[in-house]
């Protein structure tokens, strides 16, 4: 075994976990209504038409597979997505375009296509519209990018622990960035209050009572990765390990695979920071539940204390295991990928890109969990490298 991976194996531990038996079943009728195949395909068709679109790379990490005792570990690398460095480029920008298409159609009293907005044909009208969001960095960058293309205004709210580099990246795209005291969930509330006061449109990847349509579009954008994976992988995965903040990414990935594979849906494993395991706590309580964030994880995008209601509707139905990890193994996992120590090519993986790899090594050491998940030498495991160096200075301080 590679010495670096051996050390990572020793550092990879599960802090808490929750599991249930999930029986193979067709994509539920309730989810077909809530999160339809048509919704996903509309987003995928639009994103495929964007300038610069290309499917993100899938790496076959054979040394990780050997260390984990499985057939294969596939790593979906989102570090180069539209030059924004994360999968978030697929969701926020798409939701901005989708919202503006509806809003401008109402203003003009005629249908306005997303393509015409992207081409700048509605910049004058769009200039009267402001979109806003709260973010740990990557989602806000996508919203700001979409707003810049469309010509509308963008107001972004960040919390106290968001890095200066990520703040600067959004400002460079033309967004006005407001930093508040407190954590991510408090920035969400500040954003909602400002939007209500100023008649701005919130473009959020988390849903709450009375606010579901826009997050649904954001999640639909994320399913672009699933469409790509179904074409890229030699066979569908048997297991998916997917990280969760509010749960939007995880739910979108699950819905995308479930609607495509039905009874052959892979087993779903959710990984969160032990500091903010709101999905796991919701599953334990069998209802959407919030957790207080008393410490901030270095996996900034996972520092969310409240599950999205839309995500809950999906994840409560299909999650086989939810686990939490500490930050301890994150730097080494980033270094192993970034320096090419376990792959022929160096892979740029940010802090939130490595929880899946840490989890597969942690599960390898738990006989009961491996048996519960039927995780063995025949298993094909898919993990998501959801971001690259979205803060280059921070990334370099960890990897170099």
């Amino acid at each position: 075994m590679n010495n670096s991976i051996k050390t990572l194996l020793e550092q990879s531990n599960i802090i808490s976990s929750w599991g249930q038996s999930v029986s193979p079943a067709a994509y539920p009728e309730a989810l077909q209504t809530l999160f339809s195949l048509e919704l996903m395909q509309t987003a995928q068709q639009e994103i495929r038409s964007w300038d610069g679109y290309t499917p993100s790379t899938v790496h076959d990490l054979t040394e990780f597979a050997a260390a984990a005792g499985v057939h294969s570990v596939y790593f979906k690398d989102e570090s180069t997505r539209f030059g924004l460095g994360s999968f978030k480029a697929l969701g926020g920008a798409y939701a901005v375009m989708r919202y503006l298409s509806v809003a401008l159609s109402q203003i003009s009293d005629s249908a306005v296509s997303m393509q015409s907005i992207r081409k700048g044909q509605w910049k004058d009208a769009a200039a009267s519209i402001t979109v806003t969001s709260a973010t740990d960095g990557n989602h806000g960058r996508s919203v700001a990018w979409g707003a810049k293309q469309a010509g509308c205004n963008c107001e972004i709210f960040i919390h106290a622990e968001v890095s200066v580099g990520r703040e600067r990246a959004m400002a460079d795209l033309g967004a006005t960035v407001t930093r508040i005291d407190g954590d991510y969930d408090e920035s969400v509330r500040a954003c909602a209050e400002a939007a209500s006061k100023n008649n701005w449109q919130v473009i959020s990847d988390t849903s709450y009572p009375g606010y579901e349509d826009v997050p649904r579009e954001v999640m639909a954008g994320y399913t672009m990765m699933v469409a790509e994976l179904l074409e890229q992988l030699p066979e569908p995965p048997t297991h998916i390990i997917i990280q969760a903040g509010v749960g939007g990414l995880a739910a979108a990935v699950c819905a995308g695979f479930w609607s495509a594979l039905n009874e052959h849906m892979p087993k779903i494993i959710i990984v969160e920071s032990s500091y903010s395991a709101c999905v796991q706590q919701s599953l334990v309580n069998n209802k959407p539940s919030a957790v207080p964030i008393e410490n901030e994880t270095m996996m900034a995008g996972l520092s969310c204390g409240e599950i999205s209601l839309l995500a809950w509707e999906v994840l409560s139905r299909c999650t086989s295991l939810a686990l939490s990890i500490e930050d301890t193994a994150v730097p080494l996992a980033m270094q192993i990928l970034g320096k090419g120590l376990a792959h022929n090519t160096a892979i740029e993986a940010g802090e939130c890109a490595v929880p899946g790899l840490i989890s597969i090594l942690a599960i390898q050491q738990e006989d009961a969990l491996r048996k519960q998940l039927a995780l063995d030498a025949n298993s094909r495991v898919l993990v998501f490298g959801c971001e690259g160096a979205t803060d280059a200075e921070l990334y370099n301080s960890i990897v170099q």
Side-chain angles (χ1 to χ4, degrees):
M1 185 189 300
N2 178 297
N3 286 335
S4 297
I5 294 183
K6 183 178 179 180
T7 303
L8 182 62
L9 181 64
E10 294 169 352
Q11 294 182 1
S12 300
N13 298 293
I14 296 171
I15 302 305
S16 63
S17 66
W18 171 95
Q20 67 177 351
S21 177
V22 177
S23 300
Y27 191 53
E29 185 175 339
L31 294 186
Q32 292 179 36
T33 301
L34 189 71
F35 203 63
S36 69
L37 182 59
E38 180 183 5
L39 181 86
M40 296 183 244
Q41 290 176 335
T42 298
Q44 293 160 18
Q45 182 179 6
E46 165 65 14
I47 292 169
R48 286 186 195 274
S49 72
W50 290 359
D51 291 342
Y53 168 75
T54 185
S56 62
T57 303
V58 177
H59 300 281
D60 187 353
L61 301 184
T62 55
E63 292 196 48
F64 272 95
V70 297
H71 179 274
S72 50
V73 172
Y74 297 114
F75 183 92
K76 182 68 163 165
D77 179 7
E78 291 293 305
S79 64
T80 60
R81 184 71 77 175
F82 289 112
L84 298 187
S86 86
F87 79 97
K88 294 281 191 178
L90 299 167
Y94 172 71
V96 168
M97 297 296 174
R98 187 77 170 165
Y99 165 71
L100 287 173
S101 176
V102 174
L104 293 172
S105 295
Q106 293 173 343
I107 292 172
S108 66
D109 201 27
S110 62
V112 174
S113 69
M114 287 182 279
Q115 181 183 28
S116 67
I117 296 170
R118 284 187 284 108
K119 288 186 175 181
Q121 297 174 12
W122 294 90
K123 281 186 179 288
D124 290 344
S128 65
I129 296 173
T130 298
V131 295
T132 185
S133 187
T135 184
D136 287 306
N138 293 343
H139 174 70
R141 192 172 179 180
S142 179
V143 171
W145 180 57
K148 182 178 181 179
Q149 292 183 77
C152 67
N153 305 301
C154 183
E155 298 277 345
I156 298 294
F157 290 78
I158 60 175
H159 60 84
E161 300 300 321
V162 175
S163 73
V164 172
R166 293 188 173 106
E167 177 182 5
R168 188 182 305 119
M170 291 179 280
D172 287 346
L173 288 167
T176 299
V177 183
T178 300
R179 184 184 293 270
I180 68 158
D181 293 330
D183 58 24
Y184 169 77
D185 298 306
E186 290 174 3
S187 71
V188 170
R189 286 187 279 272
C191 174
E193 290 172 3
S196 177
K197 178 181 179 180
N198 296 292
N199 197 30
W200 299 340
Q201 175 60 45
V202 176
I203 305 292
S204 176
D205 57 353
T206 187
S207 63
Y208 41 83
Y211 181 74
E212 292 188 348
D213 290 346
V214 172
R216 200 186 336 262
E217 300 291 359
V218 173
M219 291 167 61
Y222 296 162
T223 68
M224 187 74 250
M225 291 183 290
V226 177
E228 293 172 357
L229 284 159
L230 291 171
E231 297 174 356
Q232 292 172 315
L233 296 178
E235 296 180 82
T238 59
H239 299 73
I240 295 174
I241 305 180
I242 184 75
Q243 49 271 71
V246 299
L249 165 63
V253 166
C254 292
F257 273 104
W258 203 352
S259 64
L261 301 176
N262 290 292
E263 292 88 349
H264 302 290
M265 167 75 164
K267 285 186 170 64
I268 301 300
I269 302 164
I270 300 296
V271 55
E272 299 172 278
S273 166
S274 59
Y275 294 150
S276 51
C278 62
V279 173
Q280 183 182 141
Q281 191 60 53
S282 297
L283 291 166
V284 168
N285 295 343
N286 197 30
K287 63 180 181 180
S289 303
V291 297
I293 298 179
E294 299 174 352
N295 298 286
E296 289 289 345
T297 171
M298 70 181 297
M299 299 175 285
L302 306 190
S303 186
C304 308
E306 296 183 33
I307 188 172
S308 165
L309 295 186
L310 281 173
W312 166 253
E313 292 297 331
V314 178
L315 298 178
S316 61
R317 290 175 162 90
C318 66
T319 302
S320 292
L321 178 71
L323 61 87
S324 70
I325 61 172
E326 291 181 314
D327 289 354
T328 308
V330 172
L332 180 56
M334 292 171 62
Q335 292 161 15
I336 289 172
L337 294 179
K339 295 180 179 180
L341 300 179
H343 193 60
N344 292 331
T345 304
I347 302 171
E348 184 183 278
E351 308 93 288
C352 288
V354 296
L357 294 177
I358 294 169
S359 297
I360 189 64
L361 296 180
I363 293 170
Q364 193 273 343
Q365 303 171 74
E366 302 283 345
D367 290 340
L369 287 183
R370 290 208 322 273
K371 184 176 181 180
Q372 173 188 329
L373 295 166
L375 196 64
D376 55 33
N378 297 313
S379 300
R380 302 179 299 277
V381 183
L382 171 64
V383 300
F384 286 80
C386 63
E387 67 175 1
T390 54
D391 183 330
E393 184 177 344
L394 178 59
Y395 175 82
N396 290 331
S397 72
I398 295 171
V399 172
Q400 292 183 355

